[in-house]
Amino acid sequence: VVSGLAKRKRLTTIFLILGGGFVGILFYKREFLQRVILRVINISEAVNERNDNWIDNLMNLDLVGWIFGSGLGSKSHQVSEIGGLGVYDSSYIQILTELGLVGFCLFVFCIIYAILKARRKNMDKYSLISLVIMFVFLVQAIGSNVWEFQIISPLFWIAVGYCLHNNSTFAIET
C-alpha cells in the first residue's frame, strides 16, 4: 500500500518531467514556440470569424428547435455541402442546434457530474489524466467540431467513463 504522500510525490515528479520536457521542446525548437504563440494570439480572431455562422444557426431555430433541436447530423459539415446551413466550428453550438436546450443541458449535466464524481473519489493518476483529457477536449470544442471529425474522440468518452466508474468494482492493475 502506497501512502498518500508517496502518491503525491510520484504525481508531482511525473508532472515535472512532462512539463520540463514540454518547456525544453519549446526552447529547443523555436519554430514550434512561434507556432504556439501565434496560435494563442489568433484565438480571438478565430472566434470572431466563426461568430456569424453561429448566430445564423441559432437564429434559424424555431421554438421546437430551441427546446428539442433539429436532429443529430442536421448541422454537420455534410449538410453544408448540399446547401444546408451547417455549424462549421463549435461543438457546443452544434450540440445546442442539433439537440436543443434539453440535449445540451443533459450533455453539460453529464460532464459536470463526471468531474464532480472524479473529484469526490480517491484521486488516482488515472482520474487526473482523465480530467486533463476531458479539459483539453472541452476547450478544443469551443472552436472546432471535435466530436464530429476527430478520430480520437472516443478517448474523451473513455475519460468520462473512467471518472464515473466506481473504484470498488473496477481497478487498473499496475
Side-chain angles (χ1 to χ4, degrees), residues 10 38 43 56 68 106 112 116 147 167:
R10 195 171 20 168
L38 185 63
I43 286 175
D56 289 344
F68 298 110
L106 284 171
I112 291 173
L116 292 176
W147 291 286
N167 277 343

Side-chain angles (χ1 to χ4, degrees), residues 26-98:
L26 287 178
F27 286 110
Y28 179 70
K29 294 284 188 176
R30 294 281 183 189
E31 180 181 315
F32 182 69
L33 176 62
Q34 290 169 344
R35 283 185 176 179
V36 169
I37 291 171
L38 185 63
R39 186 80 172 167
V40 169
I41 290 171
N42 290 331
I43 286 175
S44 64
E45 288 179 24
V47 169
N48 290 337
E49 187 177 292
R50 297 171 178 127
N51 194 20
D52 292 337
N53 174 257
W54 299 345
I55 292 171
D56 289 344
N57 274 285
L58 292 173
M59 296 307 284
N60 282 333
L61 290 175
D62 57 2
L63 180 62
V64 174
W66 272 103
I67 297 171
F68 298 110
S70 57
L72 283 174
S74 63
K75 299 295 181 179
S76 66
H77 280 74
Q78 289 79 11
V79 169
S80 61
E81 291 175 8
I82 59 172
L85 183 62
V87 176
Y88 302 122
D89 291 308
S90 176
S91 289
Y92 299 117
I93 300 295
Q94 187 173 8
I95 290 171
L96 183 59
T97 56
E98 289 183 356

Side-chain angles (χ1 to χ4, degrees), residues 92 95 102-111 138 147 156-157:
Y92 299 117
I95 290 171
V102 172
F104 185 78
C105 288
L106 284 171
F107 172 78
V108 171
F109 172 77
C110 289
I111 301 305
L138 292 170
W147 291 286
F156 173 80
W157 297 110

Side-chain angles (χ1 to χ4, degrees), residues 5-23:
L5 182 61
K7 283 182 181 179
R8 274 189 246 139
K9 190 175 184 179
R10 195 171 20 168
L11 283 174
T12 303
T13 304
I14 290 169
F15 278 116
L16 287 175
I17 290 170
L18 290 175
F22 183 70
V23 170

